[in-house]
Amino acid sequence: MSKFEKSSYDATKTILKHNDFIATPVLVDKTGVVVNDEGKYIVKAGTIVGGNSKAVLDNPTEPVVEKNDPPVAASVELEIDNTPDAEVGILVTAVEPGEAGNDLKIQLKNPGVINSPLSVEIDEETIIVNLETDGTAAVAAKKDFDNAAPDANSKVTVTAKEAGTIGNSIKVQFLNPSSPNQSLSISISGDTIVVSLATGADAGPITSTAKNVADAINAHLIAKQLVTATYSGDGTTVIEAHAGAALEGGAAEIAGDIVSTVTEVVEAINDHFDASQIIKAEATGEGDPDTTAAIAVAATPLADGDEGSGFEAEGVLLHDVDVTHGDAPGQMIVWGFIDKSKLDEDPCDDAVAALAGRIVFFDV
């Protein structure tokens, strides 16, 4: 006699939509069965089952267990604010269910620079959210040198090359050599850039213009590494001598804070073309994600992704099976038409796919 037998089941309560079916005897495993209110361990009729460790259809002595767990996507919840009754987090979930999502990581990164925009990038298995920051940039020290009777073309502005307070220590002097027929020259004396102005004949009047001075500073091998000089207008006005004076107003950078909100981070992930193919994000908790600032979080792996068991389904139990006293025999439908409304639990999509062609589930 074949292990597959065409049968007719006419009991008062049936999971069958039509009476014709094919079933095979199986041994129902007690593993994982939960005790009911009467203290018994019952595996209900309609339970989707398959071989415990290998296919029962190929190995008839293999006990069967429930095989109706759908695949689970890997996920992780990042804690942003744990204030009681105002908690805010970000739940990150792999788009594709299964174990592959366990290889993914999510990182919320403080870029460590001021005024950095919110952005998303992918580095191998890690999705990195570069958080937006504010802050104030360092300011370069500078000094204006102008004539006592200035005009639109008489000013020279000297600005430190390096922003910050360091430029406040640089001095600049426009020197009248007080002798005729002198050439314009630049020299460095300690912390001072000395501009020796050009003079004419006879009484030696100064002949260097604002443009001449700025160009000379910018061409000098050392001075141009320290400062940059500009002139006003066309710079054609002759410049006057000036005593050495320090550049001023140089200020250090003021470190910024993270200003991205949780909502903005979630939207950045979900709107990023590549990242959104891999993961999806949502805000969690009782707090307000629109006003809660995100924080830096180290690269954190997603976890608990699982392939499920539905893809291993081989049949459907015909009757209730009592396994209170251990593994017990039962009948597994391998071909037939099942009334889903009679089942305690709907078959998952993977189980339906695994049984397709042999078992059809009807909604009504």
Side-chain angles (χ1 to χ4, degrees):
M1 180 177 176
S2 169
K3 66 178 181 179
F4 300 114
E5 179 180 354
K6 187 171 182 178
S7 308
S8 178
Y9 179 60
D10 294 317
T12 302
K13 184 177 180 181
T14 176
I15 63 169
L16 296 172
K17 185 67 176 178
H18 301 293
N19 287 338
D20 288 340
F21 65 94
I22 297 175
T24 185
V26 291
L27 182 65
V28 180
D29 196 324
K30 184 180 180 179
T31 303
V33 180
V34 178
V35 65
N36 64 16
D37 293 341
E38 298 175 353
K40 293 184 175 295
Y41 293 80
I42 306 296
V43 183
K44 302 292 288 185
T47 300
I48 311 296
V49 295
N52 187 8
S53 60
K54 52 189 174 182
V56 68
L57 294 179
D58 297 326
N59 304 274
T61 60
E62 178 71 11
V64 298
V65 295
E66 184 174 7
K67 295 286 185 178
N68 195 35
D69 292 327
V72 177
S75 64
V76 66
E77 186 171 7
L78 306 180
E79 182 181 276
I80 305 300
D81 188 339
N82 60 3
T83 302
D85 299 322
E87 300 89 346
V88 179
I90 300 175
L91 177 63
V92 179
T93 306
V95 170
E96 292 294 329
E99 295 177 357
N102 296 332
D103 295 329
L104 299 174
K105 295 179 182 178
I106 179 70
Q107 178 181 6
L108 306 186
K109 183 178 179 181
N110 184 341
V113 295
I114 64 171
N115 299 321
S116 181
L118 178 63
S119 65
V120 178
E121 61 181 308
I122 300 174
D123 182 10
E124 296 183 346
E125 288 84 20
T126 304
I127 296 88
I128 302 171
V129 181
N130 296 299
L131 301 171
E132 181 181 359
T133 57
D134 60 8
T136 303
V139 178
K142 67 178 183 178
K143 181 74 174 177
D144 292 335
F145 296 87
D146 210 343
N147 293 344
D151 62 32
N153 307 305
S154 61
K155 182 171 66 177
V156 175
T157 300
V158 181
T159 305
K161 274 288 189 70
E162 182 177 346
T165 58
I166 190 171
N168 296 331
S169 63
I170 300 173
K171 296 183 178 69
V172 177
Q173 178 185 8
F174 291 178
L175 176 67
N176 184 345
S178 300
S179 58
N181 299 316
Q182 297 298 305
S183 299
L184 177 62
S185 64
I186 307 293
S187 61
I188 307 297
S189 177
D191 57 3
T192 303
I193 300 170
V194 179
V195 182
S196 183
L197 301 171
T199 58
D202 301 328
I206 294 171
T207 59
S208 295
T209 65
K211 182 179 186 305
N212 295 150
V213 170
D215 290 346
I217 293 174
N218 293 335
H220 189 267
L221 181 63
I222 298 176
K224 70 180 182 180
Q225 298 179 50
L226 301 174
V227 298
T228 299
T230 59
Y231 53 85
S232 60
D234 60 14
T236 55
T237 299
V238 172
I239 194 75
E240 297 173 351
H242 291 274
L247 306 188
E248 56 192 15
E253 175 182 295
I254 300 175
D257 297 318
I258 293 171
V259 296
S260 297
T261 67
V262 167
T263 295
E264 290 169 339
V265 169
V266 168
E267 291 175 347
I269 293 172
N270 294 336
D271 291 344
H272 189 273
F273 180 80
D274 292 325
S276 63
Q277 310 300 308
I278 304 170
I279 59 172
K280 56 186 177 181
E282 62 180 290
T284 61
E286 299 178 13
D288 185 358
D290 292 339
T291 58
T292 301
I295 61 173
V297 178
T300 305
L302 277 63
D304 299 326
D306 188 82
E307 299 298 333
S309 62
F311 71 98
E312 297 176 321
E314 296 180 84
V316 180
L317 282 186
L318 178 60
H319 305 109
D320 289 356
V321 178
D322 187 345
V323 292
T324 302
H325 302 294
D327 300 351
Q331 293 285 318
M332 182 180 77
I333 301 169
V334 295
W335 181 92
F337 304 89
I338 308 296
D339 185 346
K340 272 176 56 175
S341 67
K342 301 295 181 61
L343 305 183
D344 284 6
E345 181 181 349
D346 284 346
C348 68
D349 291 343
D350 280 5
V352 172
L355 299 174
R358 298 191 288 109
I359 296 177
V360 178
F361 294 92
F362 286 86
D363 290 319
V364 292

